[in-house]
């Protein structure tokens, strides 16, 4: 008994996808944070401005004293006001580019 190879179309008809992905809306595509993770935002800011500038703009210890990505991301995820300040700086940087 020989095995028959199945095409993708045949497999899709047998087992349709559980959920179909929706396309991004125009509003989402215009949002500068669409598809960008907080870690990527912070990495770009550090590469562009550096920790010293971020410490001056947002007065938090994880930017001023021994700054690391891990401690900064942890604090920003827990603290809404600090994350909003960092997002504002990111928006300013994106607008200048």
């Amino acid at each position: 008994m020989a095995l028959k190879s199945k095409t993708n179309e045949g497999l899709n008809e047998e087992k349709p996808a559980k959920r179909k992905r929706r396309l991004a809306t125009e509003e989402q595509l215009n949002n500068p944070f669409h598809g960008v993770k907080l870690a990527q935002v912070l990495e770009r800011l550090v590469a562009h401005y550096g920790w010293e500038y971020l410490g001056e703009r947002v007065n938090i210890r994880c930017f001023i004293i021994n700054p690391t990505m891990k401690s900064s991301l942890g604090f920003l995820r827990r603290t809404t006001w600090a994350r909003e300040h960092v997002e504002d700086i990111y928006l300013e940087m994106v607008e200048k580019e």
Side-chain angles (χ1 to χ4, degrees):
M1 192 168 153
L3 295 174
K4 292 172 58 178
S5 63
K6 297 184 179 184
T7 62
N8 286 340
E9 292 81 15
L11 290 173
N12 287 337
E13 289 173 6
E14 289 177 20
K15 297 180 183 178
K18 291 182 182 177
R19 82 169 210 219
K20 295 186 179 184
R21 294 187 181 265
R22 291 181 283 151
L23 296 176
T25 63
E26 191 67 32
E27 181 181 338
Q28 290 172 330
L29 293 175
N30 292 333
N31 183 354
F33 291 108
H34 179 70
V36 180
K37 296 180 180 180
L38 182 61
Q40 295 168 328
V41 169
L42 190 58
E43 287 171 358
R44 285 192 62 194
L45 287 174
V46 170
H48 191 265
Y49 293 118
W51 289 111
E52 189 173 320
Y53 177 81
L54 291 174
E56 292 171 4
R57 288 285 305 267
V58 185
N59 189 17
I60 53 177
R61 290 184 63 164
C62 60
F63 286 174
I64 298 170
I65 301 171
N66 195 17
T68 63
M69 291 298 286
K70 184 177 179 179
S71 66
S72 299
L73 286 171
F75 183 79
L76 293 174
R77 287 183 179 124
R78 289 188 312 267
T79 314
T80 305
W81 65 266
R83 184 175 59 248
E84 289 173 354
H85 284 290
V86 169
E87 289 173 351
D88 290 341
I89 297 169
Y90 179 76
L91 287 176
E92 290 173 9
M93 182 186 76
V94 170
E95 288 175 2
K96 289 179 183 176
E97 292 178 345

